[in-house]
Amino acid sequence: MQNIELGPLKNGPHADLIQNIADKCTEHKNIQAIWVGGSLAAGHGDIYSDIDFRIAVEPGAVDQWDAPDWDKYLPILPCGGALKKFGEEAVLHHLILDDGTILDFFVQDTTRQNFEPAIVILGCRDEAFGEKLAQFSRPSTSLIKEINNVEARQFLIDYWITTHKEMKGLARKYDLSPFVGLYYERLALLRAWHMQAVGKDITARATLHMLDKLHRGLEGYLTDDRKALMGLPSRTPEETAVAIEAIREEMSQVGRCLAKKYEFEYPHEIEKIVRKVWSVQKEVIIKR
């Protein structure tokens, strides 16, 4: 693994740091292979991207990597991080380096397969593992998918259940609950808008990759009124009630449009019950 060549990573973000990490790792014969994954390997990373650095070691050696001496492997030391273990076959160190770079340093043994959308192999000592490693690149599950009418209907049912629970937090005077509850409500509304604007569904899990797709889908779609709705304050129970009701109105309209277009039954009954109970309880629960 001498004379590491970065290949397609050479002119990309973090190239010098990747080169220096790889050069230091090649000095240790216990490391059998080195490669890079993630957005940098896929060719769409930027200076803010994590470095998804991977190494393979011999079977039984992964447990020696729970707390490595980073001086040996990194040109810039971490100022902090988190460890995640995957049985006896792999560990992931999620690190922030002293220059602010985020480094995911993944260590696995040569028996494990770790598929991801793209990889760039920097070096490999083990010929058998090298053949296996070449097969690690596989298409990922798309974050964008066709709208399924059964799933879309369940999504709207889930939304009305979530917004109904807002009443419980307000009634119990959990003053922090609006910030959490409205996060889920706003995320649901963004998903509904995406379905309406793009004609595709999007995964509900809010990762940076999901937000990238969401941003692209909604670019130019969010009017000033829609942005104002998303930014309604919730500093008091009264303000929280206004925000909840505004999101409900928009979700109701968008949901009905989706139901008509994609031919599923809108959950009228659950919306009716939620609104009815809210109208009875609202004045009491927001009063302090």
Side-chain angles (χ1 to χ4, degrees):
M1 289 199 297
Q2 299 300 316
N3 301 319
I4 291 287
E5 295 290 339
L6 296 189
L9 303 176
K10 183 176 181 179
N11 297 315
H14 304 303
D16 289 343
L17 181 53
I18 293 170
Q19 181 77 63
N20 290 335
I21 297 173
D23 288 343
K24 287 180 75 71
C25 286
T26 59
E27 298 173 5
H28 303 276
K29 296 189 181 299
N30 59 323
I31 295 177
Q32 300 300 308
I34 302 170
W35 66 103
V36 171
S39 60
L40 296 177
H44 50 72
D46 56 29
I47 61 172
Y48 304 104
S49 296
D50 300 356
I51 298 175
D52 295 290
F53 196 86
R54 324 298 197 195
I55 68 168
V57 297
E58 294 179 350
V62 171
D63 60 355
Q64 301 171 21
W65 287 85
D66 285 2
D69 179 358
W70 291 117
D71 273 320
K72 295 180 179 179
Y73 308 104
L74 302 180
I76 303 174
L77 294 179
C79 60
L83 170 68
K84 186 174 183 180
K85 304 191 72 169
F86 301 88
E88 297 179 354
E89 298 177 353
V91 297
L92 172 65
H93 290 277
H94 190 60
L95 306 171
I96 298 181
L97 305 185
D98 278 342
D99 68 346
T101 303
I102 297 176
L103 171 67
D104 280 343
F105 196 101
F106 183 77
V107 184
Q108 68 163 78
D109 71 22
T110 53
T111 68
R112 181 184 175 91
Q113 291 182 309
N114 183 44
F115 301 118
E116 50 188 319
I119 66 169
V120 176
I121 301 171
L122 302 183
C124 185
R125 302 183 202 277
D126 185 316
E127 183 176 348
F129 181 70
E131 294 176 0
K132 183 188 295 185
L133 181 57
Q135 307 301 315
F136 277 17
S137 180
R138 290 189 178 181
S140 62
T141 302
S142 177
L143 300 178
I144 307 295
K145 60 183 180 180
E146 297 297 327
I147 294 177
N148 177 290
N149 56 6
V150 174
E151 292 179 1
R153 184 174 190 274
Q154 187 60 53
F155 158 62
L156 292 172
I157 291 172
D158 293 343
Y159 163 75
W160 284 107
I161 291 172
T162 298
T163 191
H164 187 50
K165 289 182 178 180
E166 299 273 31
M167 185 175 61
K168 185 186 296 186
L170 286 168
R172 293 177 178 174
K173 300 182 180 179
Y174 297 161
D175 290 336
L176 297 180
S177 66
F179 304 118
V180 178
L182 285 172
Y183 162 79
Y184 289 111
E185 295 216 30
R186 289 171 177 137
L187 187 58
L189 182 53
L190 286 170
R191 180 181 173 188
W193 277 338
H194 185 276
M195 294 167 75
Q196 188 176 53
V198 181
K200 303 282 187 179
D201 200 357
I202 188 167
T203 180
R205 184 165 171 259
T207 64
L208 284 174
H209 298 298
M210 177 270 201
L211 292 175
D212 174 66
K213 301 294 185 183
L214 188 64
H215 169 77
R216 294 173 187 273
L218 292 179
E219 192 168 15
Y221 182 79
L222 296 187
T223 62
D224 288 343
D225 286 344
R226 289 182 176 125
K227 291 177 182 178
L229 189 160
M230 294 296 286
L232 286 171
S234 56
R235 297 165 297 186
T236 66
E238 290 81 3
E239 287 182 344
T240 300
V242 169
I244 290 170
E245 290 173 345
I247 293 173
R248 286 178 179 176
E249 288 300 321
E250 183 69 11
M251 282 293 292
S252 181
Q253 293 181 35
V254 175
R256 282 171 163 77
C257 290
L258 293 173
K260 182 178 180 179
K261 183 173 183 178
Y262 297 100
E263 300 180 339
F264 62 88
E265 183 181 356
Y266 181 82
H268 295 282
E269 190 61 29
I270 189 170
E271 177 183 345
K272 179 181 177 182
I273 294 298
V274 170
R275 288 185 180 275
K276 179 180 178 180
V277 175
W278 176 261
S279 67
V280 173
Q281 299 292 332
K282 173 185 170 181
E283 295 304 322
V284 174
I285 63 177
I286 68 174
K287 186 177 181 180
R288 288 290 189 269

